[in-house]
Amino acid sequence: MDLTGGSAPARTSKNRPSDLVPDPDAVTPSGSGSPSLPVSGGAGPSSVAPSPGPRVPEARTSAASRSGAGASLPRTSRSRASVPEARGPVVPEAPDARPDARPTVTELRLSAFAGHRSAAHALGPVTLFTGPSGSGKTTTLRAYEALARLGAGDPLDEVFPDAADLVPERARPDAQGRRGFRIGCTVDGPCGPVRLDLAVQAEPRLRIVGERLTARDRTLLATALRDPGRSTVQAEWHTAGATPVTRAPLPDDLLGTALLPLRVAGRTPGQLEVLAAAEQVVVGLRSAFACDPRPERMRAPVPPGEGRLRRDCANLAEVLHRTHNDCPRRHHRLAAVAGAGCAGTVTGLGVRELREGTVRAVLERAGRTATPLGRLGDGELRYLALALTLLTGPGVLEMDRVAEVPDAMQGLTLLADGLDRGLDRRQSAELLRLAVEIAGDGHIRVAGSVGDRTAAEARRTPGVTVVDLGA
C-alpha cells in the first residue's frame, strides 16, 4: 500500500538506503504475490515483493529492543502501552532546526478514511471545518483524535472499536479478504516538518500494516507486514553509523513511532535524528484534548477533587472550585467572559460547598441572588465549558500530559466537534473571538466543526482557517 499517495520520498545521494531497506509501501509478505491492502474504489495495485538486499546486522540497542519479536510490552492500568515520557525534542544539528519551536500538528491527511479520499487539510491556529451533513466533519476530527491516542500509546482496538465502518465504502477486498484505511499528519517543531503516515488493516483482523516517519526527505522509520501469521510488523529505522539501518519487529497493534524511545539507543547522529523526530511527533499529538460538553451532566453538584476537566465537562463545578482557589486571575477572566455569553449582568463565578461534601458552581449577577449553574440553559453551559477549556491548559484538563517536557515547550489543541452546537449568534461570536485571542500566543490551538452561520462569521475573522468539506 502506498502510504503517501504517490512514490516514496526522494532521497539524497548522500543517503540512499533503498538497497538496504525494503519498500515500506508493500504490505504483503515477501513472495506471497497477493495484492496490497485495497483502500480505494478499485482493485489495489499489485504488490511486488521487495528485495531485501544484502543482509545487514542489527545495531546493538537497548534491553527493550532485545526482548524478542513476541515479547509483550508492559501496559498501564488503562491497558495502554508503556510509552516513555518524552525527554523533550532532541534537536539534531541541522540548518533548519528551530530550538524554540513548539511541536504542533500543521497538517491532517485522510488518504482513505470513511468518506474521505486523498484529502489533506492544513491546520492553522484556529481551524474550523464546515459543510453539509454527511460531508465528514466528525470523521475528520475523529482521525485527529485517533492519531493523538495512538501517539499516547493506546492500543489499536481501543482507538478504532468500529474500524470496519471507517473503510471507504468502495474499497474491495483483496484475495485474502483484506480491507483498510490510511491516515497521517505532519508535526512541525524543532526538527522542522515531520510526516507520519499510517496504514491500518480493518478486515479480516485489525492491525497496523504500514507506518512511515519522514523528515527532510529522509525515511527515518518504515514498517511493513511481512508475515500475516505473526502479530508483528518488520520495522527499520535510520541509524547512519556502522550499520546504516536497524531492523527489528514491533507489535502490530501499537504506533511504532511512540515506541522508538524504547528501542533506539541514541548513540549515533542518525539515531538522535530518529529520536528527535519521533519525540516531536509524540509531543505534538499528545497535546490534543477532545472536548464535548454535555449540559445534562453538568448540572448536579459534584465532589471536590483534583480539578481536571473531563471530556464531557460533567465536573465543571469541581474545576471551577479549583480555579477559584488556585488560579484567581484565570477565574476572574472566565467570569468576565461569562458576562459576554450569559443572560443578565454577570459579576462573578462562585462556588458553594454543600453539607453533603459536594460543591456547586453559581453565577453571580448584579442585584440578584446567585444562580446555580444547573439552572442555566444548555447553550450557556456549553459556552462556559468551552471558554474554560480555552482559558486553562494541560494541567487543568484530563489529558495525557507530557510531564517531563517543560511547560514552555507544551501546547494544547482543543478538538471540538460541533463547537457552536446549542450556541446563539452572540455566544458563537464571543467564543470565536476568544479562540483567536488565546491562539495568538501560540500555546493553544483549536480544531473544530461549525455550522454555516458560524463559518460565515469565521471567514470574516482574521486568524481563522475555514475548511469547507462540502465544496
Side-chain angles (χ1 to χ4, degrees):
M1 180 187 342
D2 186 349
L3 287 170
T4 63
S7 59
R11 300 182 175 93
T12 63
S13 58
K14 185 179 180 180
N15 180 50
R16 292 185 65 255
S18 57
D19 57 337
L20 299 175
V21 183
D23 182 5
D25 291 343
V27 299
T28 320
S30 298
S32 67
S34 59
S36 62
L37 182 65
V39 292
S40 64
S46 298
S47 174
V48 180
S51 172
R55 180 177 179 83
V56 180
E58 293 189 3
R60 186 179 300 274
T61 55
S62 62
S65 64
R66 298 194 298 269
S67 58
S72 60
L73 292 169
R75 301 289 178 91
T76 66
S77 58
R78 295 180 58 193
S79 299
R80 168 175 295 177
S82 179
V83 178
E85 291 290 347
R87 299 182 295 257
V90 182
V91 183
E93 293 183 4
D96 56 347
R98 292 163 294 166
D100 58 339
R102 185 178 293 105
T104 302
V105 178
T106 55
E107 184 182 56
L108 180 65
R109 292 183 295 279
L110 308 178
S111 301
F113 186 74
H116 300 275
R117 178 67 176 170
S118 301
H121 304 301
L123 303 178
V126 179
T127 305
L128 301 179
F129 295 93
T130 188
S133 178
S135 60
K137 300 184 294 293
T138 297
T139 52
T140 298
L141 293 175
R142 182 179 178 185
Y144 192 132
E145 183 183 1
L147 288 169
R149 292 184 60 186
L150 289 172
D154 284 357
L156 197 65
D157 58 353
E158 292 184 10
V159 177
F160 297 112
D162 55 348
D165 296 335
L166 301 175
V167 179
E169 286 184 332
R170 293 181 297 171
R172 297 190 300 227
D174 63 7
Q176 284 74 42
R178 300 179 302 172
R179 299 198 311 156
F181 53 85
R182 292 178 289 150
I183 56 177
C185 66
T186 298
V187 180
D188 210 343
C191 302
V194 180
R195 290 173 57 101
L196 171 67
D197 292 286
L198 197 65
V200 177
Q201 174 186 297
E203 299 171 348
R205 183 170 78 83
L206 183 62
R207 65 200 314 180
I208 296 175
V209 294
E211 181 178 345
R212 177 181 292 152
L213 187 71
T214 57
R216 290 186 286 275
D217 294 329
R218 175 181 296 158
T219 298
L220 302 180
L221 168 71
T223 72
L225 179 65
R226 299 302 179 200
D227 186 351
R230 294 179 178 270
S231 298
T232 59
V233 291
Q234 183 67 18
E236 295 160 346
W237 57 83
H238 181 63
T239 304
T243 303
V245 295
T246 299
R247 293 191 176 99
L250 291 178
D252 66 356
D253 65 337
L254 299 171
L255 187 68
T257 298
L259 298 175
L260 284 179
L262 287 171
R263 309 300 295 268
V264 180
R267 295 171 180 165
T268 69
Q271 289 177 338
L272 289 174
E273 184 179 1
V274 171
L275 282 174
E279 291 181 350
Q280 176 171 300
V281 169
V282 169
V283 171
L285 287 176
R286 286 173 61 178
S287 70
F289 177 71
C291 185
D292 184 19
R294 299 299 181 94
E296 68 275 10
R297 303 178 186 176
M298 300 161 58
R299 302 183 185 282
V302 296
E306 63 176 349
R308 299 185 68 195
L309 190 67
R310 297 196 291 267
R311 179 191 184 114
D312 61 0
C313 302
N315 62 333
L316 179 64
E318 173 195 352
V319 179
L320 291 176
H321 181 263
R322 175 185 173 184
T323 60
H324 183 269
N325 295 326
D326 300 342
C327 313
R329 291 180 58 188
R330 188 175 297 170
H331 189 87
H332 291 156
R333 187 176 183 188
L334 177 62
V337 172
C342 296
T345 303
V346 178
T347 59
L349 278 171
V351 180
R352 302 287 187 267
E353 297 183 2
L354 307 181
R355 292 181 179 179
E356 57 269 26
T358 58
V359 293
R360 169 186 289 157
V362 297
L363 197 67
E364 299 170 350
R365 293 189 173 104
R368 296 172 53 180
T369 58
T371 303
L373 259 58
R375 291 181 174 270
L376 299 183
D378 287 0
E380 290 177 307
L381 286 174
R382 280 184 54 82
Y383 170 81
L384 284 176
L386 291 168
L388 174 62
T389 306
L390 289 170
L391 289 171
T392 57
V396 187
L397 305 175
E398 192 175 69
M399 59 183 295
D400 191 23
R401 188 183 183 192
V402 187
E404 295 185 8
V405 175
D407 289 342
M409 288 295 295
Q410 292 201 41
L412 169 68
T413 299
L414 170 63
L415 304 180
D417 186 22
L419 181 67
D420 58 346
R421 186 170 64 248
L423 306 186
D424 60 25
R425 187 185 300 274
R426 179 187 61 158
Q427 292 166 335
S428 298
E430 180 61 25
L431 200 61
L432 185 61
R433 184 202 63 78
L434 180 63
V436 172
E437 176 187 346
I438 296 298
D441 64 8
H443 285 275
I444 294 181
R445 296 166 69 90
V446 178
S449 63
V450 296
D452 293 340
R453 186 185 64 193
T454 304
E457 178 69 23
R459 290 188 181 95
R460 299 190 294 267
T461 304
V464 180
T465 302
V466 179
V467 180
D468 192 346
L469 299 177

